[in-house]
Amino acid sequence: MSARRIPRVLSIAGSDSGGGAGIQADLKAFARCGVHGMTAITAVTWQNTVAVEGVTTIPPEAIVGQVRAVAEDIGVDAVKIGMLGTAETVAAVEEALHLVGEAPVVLDPVMVAESGAHLLEPDARDALVGLLSRATVATPNLQEARALVETAGGGAPGGVEQLARAVHGLGPEVVVVTGGHGDGTDVFFDGDRVERIAGQMYPGGAAHGSGCTHSSALAAHLALGRDALEAARAARRVAAEAVRDGLDEIGRGPGPVDVFGLKRRPE
């Protein structure tokens, strides 16, 4: 019997020194879903559960170089894109995506951290909208979806389904407007069908990194061979359980999610 090949998933995102979001959350989600995780770091943030205290961007050539290194040797079965920060970084990522062939791309348009810090420069929003056409799946939350549509020059509609349709019109093959900041229901739209993906809400759970976890789990399940709707449903479940099991005792601010359920394990 031949050994099962482990899918390879690349996160192009920022680093969170507190370990709750960014590439740290992505690698945990990849491991939880049973895929091999790789990273191309776009920025180094010094942050904790209370605040983002600073950001250092990575030079564009280093971003492209990281992607080239893993693509040429290891290969890439799916890509998750998170924090980009600047227009120069967006351009570097767009260049780097030419190196991953036909691998599906999940774009999480990160704009604001859980602590409230802005992680995308205002002049980078147009560039981020332009990158949507390269996405297999875009996963904005409600606020991000509105910001994308408004940046593109449209008036953001009030309903979630209308927002999903409007973001889809900007170029991605599929849109999943996540509902963690609303009623908990994700809205999926692929150009033909609208599907509502309901799930458990845990308002008392620690949610730092929930968006990163969701988009990474979705990318992992695409790499595992699921179609977009199956992957979105699986990602909703993984992210909800990670919030349910969140480590609210870590730090003084919003605690990090936990995809491994550490508190539920027997001692």
Side-chain angles (χ1 to χ4, degrees), residues 90-105:
V90 176
V93 170
E94 189 165 13
E95 176 184 347
L97 288 178
H98 292 291
L99 303 170
V100 302
E102 299 301 314
V105 175

Side-chain angles (χ1 to χ4, degrees), residues 111 125 129 141-154 156 163 167 170:
M111 296 183 181
R125 288 195 174 191
V129 168
N141 60 33
L142 289 168
Q143 292 81 2
E144 291 162 347
R146 291 192 183 99
L148 290 170
V149 174
E150 290 169 352
T151 298
L163 267 176
V167 175
L170 300 178

Side-chain angles (χ1 to χ4, degrees), residues 78-151:
V79 178
K80 173 264 171 77
I81 299 174
M83 176 188 172
L84 298 177
T86 70
E88 292 77 14
T89 296
V90 176
V93 170
E94 189 165 13
E95 176 184 347
L97 288 178
H98 292 291
L99 303 170
V100 302
E102 299 301 314
V105 175
V106 176
L107 174 57
D108 182 15
V110 176
M111 296 183 181
V112 180
E114 189 76 19
S115 64
H118 289 270
L119 299 177
L120 183 70
E121 293 182 357
D123 64 357
R125 288 195 174 191
D126 286 333
L128 181 60
V129 168
L131 192 61
L132 285 169
S133 62
R134 187 61 179 82
T136 308
V137 184
T139 62
N141 60 33
L142 289 168
Q143 292 81 2
E144 291 162 347
R146 291 192 183 99
L148 290 170
V149 174
E150 290 169 352
T151 298

